[in-house]
Short mmCIF file of all heavy atoms in Angstrom, two decimals:
data_model
loop_
_atom_site.label_atom_id
_atom_site.label_comp_id
_atom_site.label_asym_id
_atom_site.label_seq_id
_atom_site.Cartn_x
_atom_site.Cartn_y
_atom_site.Cartn_z
N THR Z 2 85.90 99.22 103.55
CA THR Z 2 86.70 99.62 104.70
C THR Z 2 85.90 99.44 105.95
O THR Z 2 84.67 99.49 105.93
CB THR Z 2 87.13 101.09 104.55
OG1 THR Z 2 85.96 101.89 104.42
CG2 THR Z 2 88.02 101.28 103.34
N ALA Z 4 85.49 99.89 110.48
CA ALA Z 4 85.88 100.59 111.71
C ALA Z 4 85.06 100.00 112.83
O ALA Z 4 83.97 99.50 112.62
CB ALA Z 4 85.62 102.09 111.58
N VAL Z 30 79.10 89.52 102.59
CA VAL Z 30 80.04 90.64 102.65
C VAL Z 30 80.43 90.93 104.10
O VAL Z 30 81.60 91.14 104.42
CB VAL Z 30 79.41 91.89 102.00
CG1 VAL Z 30 80.28 93.12 102.23
CG2 VAL Z 30 79.22 91.66 100.50
N LEU Z 31 79.44 90.93 104.99
CA LEU Z 31 79.73 91.18 106.41
C LEU Z 31 80.65 90.11 106.98
O LEU Z 31 81.57 90.41 107.76
CB LEU Z 31 78.43 91.26 107.20
CG LEU Z 31 77.49 92.42 106.87
CD1 LEU Z 31 76.20 92.30 107.68
CD2 LEU Z 31 78.16 93.76 107.11
N GLY Z 50 67.33 92.40 113.39
CA GLY Z 50 67.22 93.83 113.17
C GLY Z 50 68.38 94.63 113.70
O GLY Z 50 68.25 95.83 113.98
N PRO Z 78 76.28 92.95 123.73
CA PRO Z 78 77.22 92.25 124.62
C PRO Z 78 76.81 90.80 124.75
O PRO Z 78 75.62 90.49 124.75
CB PRO Z 78 77.07 93.00 125.94
CG PRO Z 78 75.73 93.62 125.89
CD PRO Z 78 75.49 93.97 124.45
N VAL Z 110 85.17 66.80 135.16
CA VAL Z 110 84.21 66.70 134.06
C VAL Z 110 84.32 67.96 133.21
O VAL Z 110 84.54 69.06 133.71
CB VAL Z 110 82.78 66.57 134.63
CG1 VAL Z 110 81.74 66.58 133.52
CG2 VAL Z 110 82.66 65.30 135.45
N PRO Z 115 73.31 66.84 134.10
CA PRO Z 115 72.44 66.54 135.26
C PRO Z 115 73.18 65.90 136.43
O PRO Z 115 72.93 66.23 137.58
CB PRO Z 115 71.40 65.60 134.66
CG PRO Z 115 71.28 66.06 133.23
CD PRO Z 115 72.68 66.45 132.83
N ALA Z 128 85.39 81.31 135.16
CA ALA Z 128 86.05 82.11 136.19
C ALA Z 128 87.43 82.57 135.74
O ALA Z 128 87.82 83.72 135.98
CB ALA Z 128 86.15 81.31 137.49
N GLY Z 139 76.91 84.52 120.54
CA GLY Z 139 76.25 85.51 121.38
C GLY Z 139 76.26 85.19 122.85
O GLY Z 139 75.70 85.93 123.65
N VAL Z 185 98.18 52.55 129.33
CA VAL Z 185 98.70 51.33 129.94
C VAL Z 185 97.62 50.27 129.78
O VAL Z 185 96.49 50.44 130.26
CB VAL Z 185 99.05 51.52 131.43
CG1 VAL Z 185 99.70 50.26 131.98
CG2 VAL Z 185 99.98 52.72 131.61
N GLY Z 188 98.05 43.01 128.77
CA GLY Z 188 98.69 42.23 127.72
C GLY Z 188 99.59 43.08 126.84
O GLY Z 188 99.83 44.26 127.11
N PRO Z 192 100.36 42.94 116.24
CA PRO Z 192 101.79 43.25 116.29
C PRO Z 192 102.06 44.44 117.20
O PRO Z 192 101.12 45.10 117.65
CB PRO Z 192 102.12 43.56 114.84
CG PRO Z 192 100.84 44.08 114.27
CD PRO Z 192 99.77 43.29 114.93
N THR Z 223 92.44 53.94 114.84
CA THR Z 223 93.42 54.25 115.89
C THR Z 223 94.74 53.61 115.52
O THR Z 223 94.80 52.39 115.26
CB THR Z 223 92.95 53.71 117.25
OG1 THR Z 223 91.68 54.27 117.58
CG2 THR Z 223 93.95 54.06 118.34
N LEU Z 228 105.43 50.94 123.49
CA LEU Z 228 106.64 51.63 123.93
C LEU Z 228 107.42 50.83 124.97
O LEU Z 228 108.66 50.83 124.96
CB LEU Z 228 106.27 53.00 124.53
CG LEU Z 228 105.51 53.96 123.62
CD1 LEU Z 228 105.20 55.25 124.38
CD2 LEU Z 228 106.30 54.27 122.36
N ARG Z 229 106.71 50.16 125.88
CA ARG Z 229 107.35 49.36 126.92
C ARG Z 229 106.50 48.14 127.20
O ARG Z 229 105.27 48.17 127.06
CB ARG Z 229 107.51 50.18 128.22
CG ARG Z 229 108.43 51.37 128.08
CD ARG Z 229 108.49 52.17 129.37
NE ARG Z 229 109.10 51.42 130.46
CZ ARG Z 229 109.23 51.87 131.71
NH1 ARG Z 229 108.77 53.08 132.02
NH2 ARG Z 229 109.79 51.15 132.63
N ALA Z 236 101.44 46.54 128.99
CA ALA Z 236 102.32 47.32 128.12
C ALA Z 236 101.93 48.78 128.18
O ALA Z 236 100.78 49.13 128.48
CB ALA Z 236 102.26 46.81 126.68
N LEU Z 242 95.10 59.24 117.09
CA LEU Z 242 93.75 59.19 116.55
C LEU Z 242 93.72 59.71 115.12
O LEU Z 242 94.16 60.82 114.84
CB LEU Z 242 92.80 60.03 117.40
CG LEU Z 242 92.56 59.56 118.83
CD1 LEU Z 242 91.70 60.56 119.56
CD2 LEU Z 242 91.90 58.19 118.82
N GLY Z 258 91.52 43.16 122.44
CA GLY Z 258 91.90 42.26 123.52
C GLY Z 258 92.92 42.84 124.47
O GLY Z 258 93.49 42.11 125.29
N SER Z 270 90.14 42.29 132.50
CA SER Z 270 91.51 41.79 132.31
C SER Z 270 91.57 40.42 131.67
O SER Z 270 92.65 39.90 131.41
CB SER Z 270 92.22 41.73 133.66
OG SER Z 270 91.59 40.79 134.53
N ILE Z 283 96.60 43.51 143.98
CA ILE Z 283 95.88 44.42 144.88
C ILE Z 283 96.09 45.87 144.45
O ILE Z 283 95.15 46.68 144.43
CB ILE Z 283 96.36 44.21 146.33
CG1 ILE Z 283 95.90 42.83 146.83
CG2 ILE Z 283 95.82 45.31 147.24
CD1 ILE Z 283 96.47 42.47 148.18
N ASP Z 318 99.85 59.41 139.10
CA ASP Z 318 99.16 58.13 139.34
C ASP Z 318 99.53 57.09 138.29
O ASP Z 318 99.73 55.91 138.62
CB ASP Z 318 97.64 58.32 139.44
CG ASP Z 318 97.01 58.89 138.18
OD1 ASP Z 318 97.75 59.38 137.29
OD2 ASP Z 318 95.77 58.86 138.08
#
Side-chain angles (χ1 to χ4, degrees):
T2 57
V30 172
L31 295 176
V110 175
V185 185
T223 302
L228 302 179
R229 296 177 66 183
L242 295 175
S270 64
I283 292 173
D318 61 347

